[in-house]
């Protein structure tokens, strides 16, 4: 199946045609995937599973808008490492969630809550991996993203090891980040699109310290930052921390900030050299990525469509189906090691 892109950039067409070949050759993303639309409904195992999940998300979102950014990050951390199999949710002294890159993840308790509701309604049926994909879709939709179709029928992985967590640091170079995405079967358009998840949420000043004070060991700031923005970020992330003070957090997209709204302002800020992370600002410097950025900054609709497609592609990475994996009773434990069972 050839991937379809709604957004066609004339000059990009050639570049993209190269990536299509790449995607078709990738083993991690074999479309058509073995997942189906409304799996729990068509199999008549939990007809209202998606309705229950949406209801929980709506209730929670009213109290805490940060959940959309948290779930997006959780899904990214799950899907890119060993596939979209819920392995990020497993507890354990050396599980994926204990890896350095995953230290600030949140949303676990909320996934537990949804799982408890589903276990009460349809015991042993709905996988934690599907819950994560569906809840993320619904939360991000409430934040302003499109509601895209999530195929279901994923099963849960039975292993989770911190050592397998290869997520790149937010201060990584563009080339390394793109190589990482391609190793998972995604392409430059997916990466430019999924970076749009930085349209909301926070990051740690430690990831931009070098941009603000010592870019590439030059002792100077990143020359690609707009001066007024640099001054502003330096205020938020001071050069010297007081004794015992930890690095503060800053908004990934100051235009969204505490509203936690999903929009294309992230791309406008790349164009005005006001992106927070180095990897975001680098969108400006590739011919293809600059065109994608201009397109998304000019048209929220194009961004929304591309986002829907790339989110589906991410959710399909190395899924477990059929007799693979299991359906966990508790998202934090494999059924074999679930301490709450007799
Ligand atoms: C960082 O410095 C090295 C050595 O001077 C140079 O080759 C490289 O291109 C620089 N990287 C950036 C992102 O400026
Ligand atoms: C930011 O990162 C630093 C260095 O890893 C860490 O010590 C600090 O606790 C983090 N700050 C927050 C608020 O998470």
């Amino acid at each position: 199946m050839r991937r379809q892109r709604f957004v066609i950039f004339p000059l990009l067409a050639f570049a993209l045609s190269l990536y299509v070949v790449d995607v078709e050759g990738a083993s991690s993303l074999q479309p058509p995937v073995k997942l189906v639309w409304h799996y729990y409904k068509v199999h008549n195992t939990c007809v209202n599973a998606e309705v229950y999940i949406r209801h929980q998300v709506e209730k929670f979102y009213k109290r805490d808008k940060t959940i959309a950014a948290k779930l997006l990050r959780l899904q990214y951390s799950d899907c890119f490492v060993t596939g979209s199999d819920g392995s990020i949710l497993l507890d354990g002294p050396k599980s994926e969630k204990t890896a350095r890159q995953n230290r600030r993840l949140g949303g676990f308790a909320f996934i537990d809550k949804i799982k408890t509701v589903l276990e009460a309604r349809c015991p042993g049926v709905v996988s934690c991996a599907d819950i994560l994909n569906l809840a993320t879709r619904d939360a991000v939709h409430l934040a302003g993203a499109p509601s895209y179709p999530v195929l279901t029928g994923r099963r849960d992985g039975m292993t989770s090891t911190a050592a397998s967590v290869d997520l790149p640091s937010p201060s990584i170079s563009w080339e390394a980040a793109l190589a990482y995405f391609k190793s998972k079967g995604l392409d430059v358009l997916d990466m430019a699109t999924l970076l749009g998840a930085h349209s909301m949420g926070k990051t740690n000043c430690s990831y931009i310290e070098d941009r603000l004070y010592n870019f590439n060991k030059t002792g100077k700031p990143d020359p690609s930052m707009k001066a007024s923005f640099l001054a502003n970020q330096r205020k938020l992330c001071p050069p010297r921390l007081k004794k015992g003070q930890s690095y503060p957090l800053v908004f990934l997209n100051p235009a969204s900030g505490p509203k936690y709204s999903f929009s294309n302002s992230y791309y406008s800020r790349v164009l005005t050299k006001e992106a927070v992370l180095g990897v975001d600002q680098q969108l400006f410097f590739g011919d293809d990525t600059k065109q994608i950025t201009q397109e998304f900054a000019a048209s929220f609709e194009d961004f929304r469509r591309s986002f829907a497609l790339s989110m589906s592609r991410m959710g399909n990475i190395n899924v477990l189906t059929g007799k693979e994996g299991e359906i966990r009773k508790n998202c934090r434990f494999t059924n074999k090691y679930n301490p709450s069972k007799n």
Side-chain angles (χ1 to χ4, degrees):
M1 188 172 79
R2 276 182 103 72
R3 61 185 311 209
Q4 293 196 334
R5 278 293 183 184
F6 304 90
V7 205
I8 303 298
F9 318 97
L11 288 166
L12 249 189
F14 174 68
L16 288 179
S17 68
L18 299 177
Y19 289 112
V20 167
V21 175
D22 237 45
V23 168
E24 285 175 344
S27 60
S28 59
L29 251 187
Q30 279 306 349
V33 289
K34 298 162 279 181
L35 304 175
V36 293
W37 203 21
H38 299 318
Y39 179 86
Y40 302 102
K41 193 183 248 172
V42 300
H43 288 267
N44 204 23
T45 47
C46 192
V47 173
N48 289 317
E50 297 193 26
V51 178
Y52 296 144
I53 294 172
R54 191 175 326 115
H55 178 67
Q56 290 301 317
V57 173
E58 281 165 359
K59 254 178 40 181
F60 196 91
Y61 187 82
K62 278 193 198 124
R63 280 186 281 135
D64 183 2
K65 293 193 174 12
T66 69
I67 194 65
K70 285 182 182 143
L71 290 180
L72 257 182
R73 188 133 176 247
L74 204 49
Q75 192 182 338
Y76 163 79
S77 303
D78 188 35
C79 296
F80 274 82
V81 176
T82 72
S84 203
D85 61 355
S87 51
I88 190 68
L89 303 171
L90 287 172
D91 278 354
K94 290 191 174 129
S95 64
E96 287 175 25
K97 66 169 72 155
T98 67
R100 183 179 42 82
Q101 297 97 316
N102 290 333
R103 221 177 267 158
R104 282 198 55 249
L105 289 180
F108 297 108
F110 177 53
I111 296 294
D112 291 341
K113 167 74 188 158
I114 299 176
K115 181 64 174 170
T116 306
V117 168
L118 287 169
E119 285 300 299
R121 308 271 201 287
C122 325
V125 169
V126 185
S127 70
C128 298
D130 276 344
I131 292 175
L132 179 55
N133 274 268
L134 291 164
T136 302
R137 189 261 318 264
D138 294 342
V140 178
H141 178 49
L142 290 173
S147 182
Y148 48 92
V150 169
L151 300 182
T152 39
R154 288 172 193 73
R155 292 172 61 89
D156 296 322
M158 298 175 23
T159 56
S160 176
T161 48
S164 64
V165 176
D166 57 354
L167 298 168
S169 151
S171 46
I172 192 178
S173 76
W174 178 268
E175 290 75 17
L178 183 55
Y180 180 75
F181 268 65
K182 288 169 114 180
S183 75
K184 307 290 172 176
L186 271 60
D187 62 27
V188 69
L189 187 47
D190 290 311
M191 181 165 151
T193 303
L194 291 173
L195 275 174
H198 292 168
S199 100
M200 51 191 190
K202 287 181 175 177
T203 191
N204 189 315
C205 281
S206 65
Y207 293 128
I208 57 171
E209 198 182 20
D210 61 330
R211 291 194 83 201
L212 302 182
Y213 300 105
N214 189 13
F215 183 66
N216 203 12
K217 310 213 162 53
T218 56
K220 297 201 177 81
D222 183 344
S224 71
M225 282 179 102
K226 185 176 172 178
S228 57
F229 177 61
L230 171 65
N232 168 284
Q233 292 297 101
R234 280 180 157 183
K235 252 184 247 155
L236 299 172
C237 299
R240 269 176 301 276
L241 299 168
K242 296 192 191 79
K243 208 163 173 244
Q245 185 190 1
S246 78
Y247 284 98
L249 301 176
V250 286
F251 286 112
L252 276 165
N253 174 9
S256 161
K259 294 198 297 285
Y260 282 86
S261 56
F262 184 95
S263 77
N264 58 345
S265 58
Y266 163 87
Y267 294 98
S268 316
R269 296 182 67 91
V270 170
L271 296 178
T272 55
K273 311 276 182 70
E274 294 175 282
V276 173
L277 293 176
V279 69
D280 297 334
Q281 192 57 65
Q282 289 192 51
L283 278 169
F284 189 85
F285 297 104
D287 291 341
D288 49 359
T289 56
K290 187 171 178 183
Q291 285 185 57
I292 297 170
T293 305
Q294 286 168 334
E295 182 80 19
F296 289 170
S299 167
F300 187 34
E301 203 42 44
D302 284 354
F303 170 46
R304 283 164 47 104
R305 287 188 181 146
S306 192
F307 185 77
L309 192 55
S310 289
M311 284 300 289
S312 308
R313 284 161 55 73
M314 181 168 84
N316 294 345
I317 298 176
N318 280 338
V319 292
L320 303 175
T321 54
K323 293 193 161 47
E324 298 165 320
E326 64 178 4
I327 304 295
R328 280 179 222 147
K329 292 196 172 12
N330 179 327
C331 293
R332 292 177 185 267
F333 305 102
T334 59
N335 292 338
K336 190 168 172 197
Y337 295 106
N338 184 348
S340 64
K341 75 163 190 219
N342 307 331

